[in-house]
Amino acid sequence: MSALSRQAPRRQRIRKGLVLLSFLLFPVTLNFLSPYLIVLGAAGGVVNGSLILFGLLFAGSLFFGRLWCGWICPGAGMAELAAQVNNASFRAPRAGWIKWAIWAPWVALIASLAVRAGGYRSVNPLFMTERGVSVDEPAKLIIYFAVVGLFVGLAVAFGRRAGCHTICWMAPFMILGRGVRNRLGLPALQLTTDPAACVKCGSCTTTCPMSLPVSALVQSGRIEHPECILCGTCIDGCSKK
């Protein structure tokens, strides 16, 4: 088999290149994805960069679902690297409750601090990131390596994207947004399927980065799942596309 024939499909090469680039830029962007800085901002009545980004993720998910998770998130880059060590499917789908147990009290804390501060009174996208770089001093490397170690460690220990399933504080915003979209019937980016063309080879389920039962979803005629990240891996690995 030639090297060319072993290449991933072009779409997947582009996607993986984007998320790996996002991971390389993580020392710059970390503060804009920080749940802790949102808490500090709320206590001071400041709308900061991470709060703005998370709001945009919710709004964007109304039309693009969890496209961020598949194509842009630095955590996806970490997952791609961890998959080189452990590419097994994540086998604990019920563990998804963990991220909600983290998210709900965190959002309640933000709301309570904002109310105590008299509401949001200013907007500062560079709150505590005045130099434009998140990791701008040695002490902040501790936070950086803690986050990277947590996501990579979970994936290595428990399988593909274990951290995305269990501890990601951004995923609930997009899951909720997608749920609103589905209830309202808004036009949005989505995967489509032709059950009649399916040969039931199971490759879509085997290769899904989020370990979803894609083959069963295909047979249902509707590929819609709160953990779907619209990466297109199932399509690119399907002989019938």
Side-chain angles (χ1 to χ4, degrees), residues 32-147:
F32 299 98
L33 304 169
S34 171
Y36 176 63
L37 289 190
I38 294 183
V39 172
L40 291 184
V46 179
V47 175
N48 65 347
S50 48
L51 181 58
I52 293 171
L53 177 60
F54 290 5
L56 291 175
L57 288 179
F58 173 80
S61 66
L62 295 172
F63 306 100
F64 301 106
R66 291 181 61 179
L67 191 73
W68 162 275
C69 303
W71 291 79
I72 306 172
C73 182
M78 300 177 209
E80 292 295 338
L81 294 175
Q84 303 306 308
V85 180
N86 182 3
N87 196 34
S89 296
F90 181 69
R91 297 299 185 185
R94 293 183 180 180
W97 66 266
I98 297 174
K99 61 176 172 281
W100 292 100
I102 295 171
W103 184 84
W106 170 61
V107 170
L109 175 62
I110 293 169
S112 64
L113 289 175
V115 170
R116 185 178 300 177
Y120 287 104
R121 302 183 301 277
S122 64
V123 177
N124 181 6
L126 295 179
F127 177 72
M128 297 189 70
T129 319
E130 289 75 11
R131 298 178 185 177
V133 177
S134 301
V135 182
D136 57 357
E137 57 185 49
K140 294 182 180 178
L141 284 171
I142 298 174
I143 299 173
Y144 170 78
F145 284 119
V147 174

Side-chain angles (χ1 to χ4, degrees), residues 201-241:
C201 67
S203 67
C204 52
T205 296
T206 301
T207 59
C208 175
M210 292 298 286
S211 308
L212 302 182
V214 184
S215 183
L217 294 172
V218 168
Q219 294 306 311
S220 74
R222 185 169 182 263
I223 300 185
E224 182 66 40
H225 193 285
E227 298 288 3
C228 177
I229 56 175
L230 297 174
C231 63
T233 301
C234 53
I235 300 170
D236 292 327
C238 176
S239 60
K240 300 296 183 179
K241 299 301 176 184

Side-chain angles (χ1 to χ4, degrees), residues 61-63 65 174-190 222-226:
S61 66
L62 295 172
F63 306 100
M174 291 174 278
I175 293 174
L176 288 173
R178 189 68 170 185
V180 171
R181 175 265 165 188
N182 290 339
R183 283 187 174 275
L184 297 180
L186 300 174
L189 183 67
Q190 60 188 31
R222 185 169 182 263
I223 300 185
E224 182 66 40
H225 193 285

